[in-house]
């Protein structure tokens, strides 16, 4: 902590260490989830696929809440994979395989728990979509699993782009929140146009809109004035928004 004003130092990377956020530390099973980070990273980049399968079984047995796993394990491990790539500590093939494996783990655990989620009363619905440049969609899967575990009804996902199919879903169903993952900073104008179109419709004018994704992590200021209700730099910030809306 900063001894002058009690704030966290500005150089702390909350993508790698979300547990340093006071709100994140309150998540049930935080320490246990953190203890899996090294083993999960190794299982993802190891050429032997057995570690990947064993990790799925171990996380299934742990019975940790999906939103804890999403914030304290999956998100920081995904950030670590990106750091290894940027620092030339691993090659493209390893990162691609690791990202695919991580997506499989997230989807497997989320699907296995989907029945319990379906049994809950659906009081909040979120529609998730992405820009065309958002090619690395593991973040969308992580956010989706987090919302499901918090009792939200999740629609859309990595396959839904900002095109006519998005507006068709919005016209046919009611949602409390639209989440957009933006892949590139140069897509800010496309994202702003989509937000204006959504907000101009009487049926969706009161729906909240959040933008996130790689481009927002890289340059959040570029998205500060495009009309979104929230510019989320991490899955943790999305969770905070979901908490407030619930």
């Amino acid at each position: 902590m900063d001894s002058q004003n009690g704030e966290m130092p500005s150089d702390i990377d909350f993508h790698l260490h979300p547990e340093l956020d006071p709100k994140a530390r309150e998540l049930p099973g935080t320490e246990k989830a953190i203890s899996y980070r090294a083993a999960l990273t190794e299982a993802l980049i190891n050429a032997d696929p057995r570690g990947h399968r064993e990790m799925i079984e171990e996380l299934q047995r742990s019975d940790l809440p999906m939103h804890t796993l999403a914030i304290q394990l999956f998100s920081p491990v995904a950030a670590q994979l990106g750091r290894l790539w940027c620092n030339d500590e691993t090659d493209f093939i390893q990162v691609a395989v690791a990202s695919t494996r991580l997506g499989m783990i997230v989807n497997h655990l989320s699907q296995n728990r989907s029945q319990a989620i379906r049994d809950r009363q659906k009081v909040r619905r979120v529609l998730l979509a992405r820009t065309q440049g958002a090619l690395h969609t593991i973040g969308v899967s992580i956010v989706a699993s987090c919302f499901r575990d918090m009792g939200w009804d999740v629609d859309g996902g990595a396959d839904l782009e900002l095109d006519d199919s998005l507006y068709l879903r919005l016209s046919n169903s009611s949602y409390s929140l639209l989440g957009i993952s933006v892949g590139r900073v140069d897509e800010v104008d496309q994202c702003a146009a989509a937000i204006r179109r959504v907000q101009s419709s009487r049926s969706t004018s009161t729906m909240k809109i959040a933008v996130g994704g790689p481009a927002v992590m890289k340059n959040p200021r570029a998205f500060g004035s495009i009309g979104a209700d929230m510019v989320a730099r991490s899955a943790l910030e999305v969770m905070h928004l979901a908490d407030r809306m619930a």
Side-chain angles (χ1 to χ4, degrees):
M1 298 287 286
D2 190 317
S3 59
Q4 298 294 323
N5 54 25
E7 296 180 353
M8 296 297 296
S10 59
D11 60 345
I12 289 180
D13 190 338
F14 288 100
H15 298 109
L16 289 173
H17 299 288
E19 71 279 5
L20 297 179
D21 182 286
K23 181 71 173 179
R25 283 200 300 270
E26 298 175 0
L27 294 174
T30 284
E31 294 302 322
K32 190 172 183 179
I34 292 173
S35 72
Y36 286 122
R37 286 181 189 170
L40 177 58
T41 302
E42 174 63 23
L44 294 176
I45 63 177
N46 198 307
D48 190 337
R50 288 177 296 182
H52 168 236
R53 294 193 294 266
E54 291 169 358
M55 202 70 220
I56 291 178
E57 295 171 358
E58 176 62 27
L59 292 176
Q60 191 67 53
R61 287 194 298 268
S62 75
D63 205 31
L64 287 167
M66 275 300 295
H67 62 281
T68 299
L69 291 174
I71 301 301
Q72 300 290 14
L73 180 61
F74 300 142
S75 291
V77 166
Q80 176 64 11
L81 291 175
R83 172 167 287 195
L84 291 174
W85 166 246
C86 291
N87 294 341
D88 291 326
E89 296 178 49
T90 187
D91 59 39
F92 174 78
I93 298 299
Q94 282 181 306
V95 171
V97 170
S99 297
T100 299
R101 287 176 172 175
L102 181 56
M104 291 172 61
I105 290 175
V106 173
N107 291 331
H108 179 87
L109 294 178
S110 185
Q111 290 300 320
N112 268 15
R113 303 179 189 193
S114 62
Q115 183 58 53
I117 302 303
R118 284 196 297 268
D119 288 342
R120 299 178 186 175
Q121 182 180 4
K122 301 293 194 324
V123 294
R124 297 286 180 181
R125 300 191 72 208
V126 57
L127 179 64
L128 300 178
R130 65 175 179 86
T131 60
Q132 189 175 15
L135 302 179
H136 302 288
T137 57
I138 180 61
V140 179
S141 297
I142 290 173
V143 168
S145 69
C146 189
F147 270 111
R148 289 192 187 98
D149 200 55
M150 296 176 71
W152 285 63
D153 185 8
V154 180
D155 195 9
D159 295 330
L160 183 62
E161 294 186 17
L162 296 188
D163 53 27
D164 288 341
S165 58
L166 168 69
Y167 305 116
L168 181 62
R169 294 208 195 192
L170 289 173
S171 64
N172 290 337
S173 301
S174 176
Y175 300 93
S176 301
L177 176 66
L178 169 64
I180 303 173
S181 177
V182 189
R184 303 191 311 264
V185 176
D186 62 10
E187 293 179 309
V188 63
D189 290 339
Q190 175 196 1
C191 193
I195 291 174
R196 287 195 299 270
R197 178 171 174 177
V198 170
Q199 292 175 334
S200 67
S201 171
R202 181 178 299 178
S203 62
T204 55
S205 59
T206 61
M207 180 184 64
K208 300 296 185 182
I209 301 176
V211 295
V216 175
M217 291 174 60
K218 184 176 182 179
N219 188 358
R221 290 186 178 181
F223 296 86
S225 59
I226 64 172
D229 297 284
M230 182 179 188
V231 178
R233 293 167 294 179
S234 67
L236 178 60
E237 292 185 359
V238 175
M239 190 197 74
H240 290 343
L241 173 63
D243 263 347
R244 291 197 299 270
M245 292 183 67

